[in-house]
Amino acid sequence: MNVAALPPFFRLIALASVDSTNRELRELALAGAPEGTAVTALEQTAGRGRRGRDWQSPPGNLYLSVLLRPTGSPAQAGQAGFVAAVALAEAVEKLVPERAAVTLKWPNDLLVNGRKAAGLLLEASGKGAGLDWLVLGLGVNVTSFPADTAFPATCLEAEGVSVGVNDLLAAFAWRLDAWLGRWRTEGFAPVRQAWLERAHGLGQPITVRLERETLEGRFEALDESGALMLHLPDDARRNISAGDVFYPGL
Ligand code: BTN
């Protein structure tokens, strides 16, 4: 990895193989590693996905975890996933063929032509009212994708993108650096706007699967914390902070 290609904020640790870059970076965070410490690996043997799922991690794809030490409340820290999703969308938009659609699926998935090409996993730990550390884990399907997922998947190569993992990492890192700066100086509003401009299914009927119930409704907006605002058939509204979104026909 050419370290000079990354913003100065990043202190990259590049591994050949690890169980999970998120798990590895969590250990470093607990040992006092500074913000901007990042771990990448060519493969993961026990990659973690959202809601306790596995993240298949063969060589050829991007596996990256970045350490943040947010000073705001845990609710504000939840916004970091949207910051990273917008940064990734901007990096990928520059690479895809002209007619390809790069969209974002709530909360933090990146879709290319309606199929999932990347996911984000946030893991954090609090200290008092604030957060001690937040690990932003990013997996991008570059050359392969799993066949057996609940939501249709793809990889960048299958969508006509030819990019090296390290170049993609650098492109994302620069956009992340820029958006973290904006988030800190201007707050969540511009992040939310950039996310909503790319939101998949905004204003459309969706199904949201929660831990214990499944809801049908219209995807209305994002609230201040990044929760999905769902307009239910009886005209009630629900703000949802954790769940899986499905679109009609999928
Ligand atoms: C999702 O379920 O969509 C989130 C997937 C996040 C996967 C990445 S790969 C790098 C980091 N390390 C992990 O174990 N998981 C995240």
Side-chain angles (χ1 to χ4, degrees), residues 20-22 44 47-50 55 64 109 116 119-120 138-139:
S20 155
T21 56
N22 265 31
Q44 298 183 120
R48 309 207 280 236
R50 281 180 62 242
W55 186 258
L64 172 71
D109 291 348
K116 178 166 172 169
L120 277 151
L138 169 69

Side-chain angles (χ1 to χ4, degrees), residues 172-191:
F172 168 69
W174 283 104
R175 295 319 304 146
L176 181 66
D177 193 44
W179 275 103
L180 285 173
R182 264 197 98 174
W183 180 40
R184 281 178 188 132
T185 54
E186 297 174 47
F188 189 52
V191 178

Side-chain angles (χ1 to χ4, degrees), residues 7-32:
F9 169 75
F10 269 71
R11 297 161 187 235
L12 187 71
I13 300 165
L15 305 174
S17 180
V18 71
D19 53 354
S20 155
T21 56
N22 265 31
R23 207 258 334 126
E24 182 74 19
L25 189 53
R26 178 182 181 279
E27 299 294 317
L28 295 171
L30 291 171

